[in-house]
């Protein structure tokens, strides 16, 4: 259990690094006239992602979940892949990446890196991580609950993000003569 707690702590530390990067990127975007949207769902996202980390540890400890190597090792590989994909997204978007929906008007959509393959690759990483991290130590209830709640939240988030991106990248309409 100690090694699993360390793994969850490492994922939590990675989240803190993400927040530091996001804050820096928010300053960059704001200096360029960024528009922030979707503030209503952001607190729910923070709570859900925090609950994932807490749920992983609580379920393993309270329900005495066993370590099953045949499940753990593939899930650890999926977890590592999700982290690699997340950081590929962050690197590709550069200062435009954020945990919030922040869009700088006039900038074109990013279509390189993982964005040439998928419209929202970071959310693929989130979904994979939300399944894999709990299942590394058979916390299947946490994996299931997070997956369902995350699906609802991502529906709201992706709609919000798509609207913001469409508005920010739309060509300016000329004023009527």
């Amino acid at each position: 259990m100690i090694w699993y707690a360390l793994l969850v702590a490492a994922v939590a530390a990675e989240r803190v690094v993400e927040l530091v990067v996001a804050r820096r990127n928010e300053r960059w975007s704001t200096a360029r006239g960024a528009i922030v949207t979707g503030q209503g769902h952001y607190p729910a996202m923070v709570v859900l992602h925090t609950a994932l980390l807490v749920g992983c540890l609580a379920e393993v400890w309270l329900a005495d979940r066993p370590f099953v190597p045949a499940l753990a090792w593939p899930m650890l590989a999926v977890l590592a892949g999700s982290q690699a994909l997340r950081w590929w997204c962050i690197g590709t978007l550069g200062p435009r990446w954020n945990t919030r929906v922040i869009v700088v008007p006039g900038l074109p959509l990013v279509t390189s890196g993982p964005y040439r393959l998928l419209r929202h690759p970071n959310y693929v990483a989130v979904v994979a991580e939300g399944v894999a991290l709990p299942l590394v130590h058979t916390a299947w209830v946490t994996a299931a609950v997070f997956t369902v709640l995350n699906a609802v939240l991502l529906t709201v988030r992706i709609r919000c993000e798509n609207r913001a991106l469409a508005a920010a990248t739309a060509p300016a309409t000329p004023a009527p003569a």
Side-chain angles (χ1 to χ4, degrees):
M1 169 70 177
I2 297 286
W3 66 268
Y4 185 62
L6 291 173
L7 175 65
V8 173
V11 170
E14 188 274 335
R15 286 285 200 275
V16 171
V17 171
E18 282 182 31
L19 292 174
V20 169
V21 170
R23 182 71 71 176
R24 182 191 69 213
N25 292 349
E26 182 176 1
R27 287 190 298 271
W28 180 91
S29 297
T30 302
R32 287 156 181 80
I35 298 169
V36 180
T37 59
Q39 296 294 45
H41 71 266
Y42 189 75
M45 192 168 75
V46 171
V47 168
L48 181 61
H49 284 255
T50 302
L52 170 66
L53 301 172
V54 172
C56 286
L57 296 175
E59 182 177 349
V60 168
W61 184 61
L62 294 172
D64 196 27
R65 297 288 188 229
F67 176 76
V68 179
L71 178 62
W73 298 121
M75 290 300 104
L76 198 55
V78 170
L79 180 63
S82 72
Q83 296 302 320
L85 177 56
R86 172 177 287 117
W87 284 98
W88 187 19
C89 293
I90 291 169
T92 300
L93 290 176
R96 294 166 65 175
W97 179 85
N98 211 293
T99 57
R100 299 178 185 272
V101 179
I102 301 176
V103 181
V104 178
L107 293 179
L109 287 177
V110 173
T111 57
S112 60
Y115 295 90
R116 74 177 180 274
L117 306 171
L118 298 168
R119 176 123 171 142
H120 298 285
N122 189 65
Y123 301 138
V124 173
V126 170
V127 169
E129 179 186 71
V131 171
L133 181 61
L135 292 180
V136 166
H137 210 299
T138 64
W140 61 269
V141 172
T142 299
V145 170
F146 178 84
T147 297
V148 169
L149 294 176
N150 190 49
V152 172
L153 186 57
L154 280 180
T155 300
V156 172
R157 172 70 174 217
I158 289 170
R159 284 182 185 150
C160 174
E161 195 168 295
N162 285 342
R163 280 192 305 270
L165 288 169
T169 58
T173 55

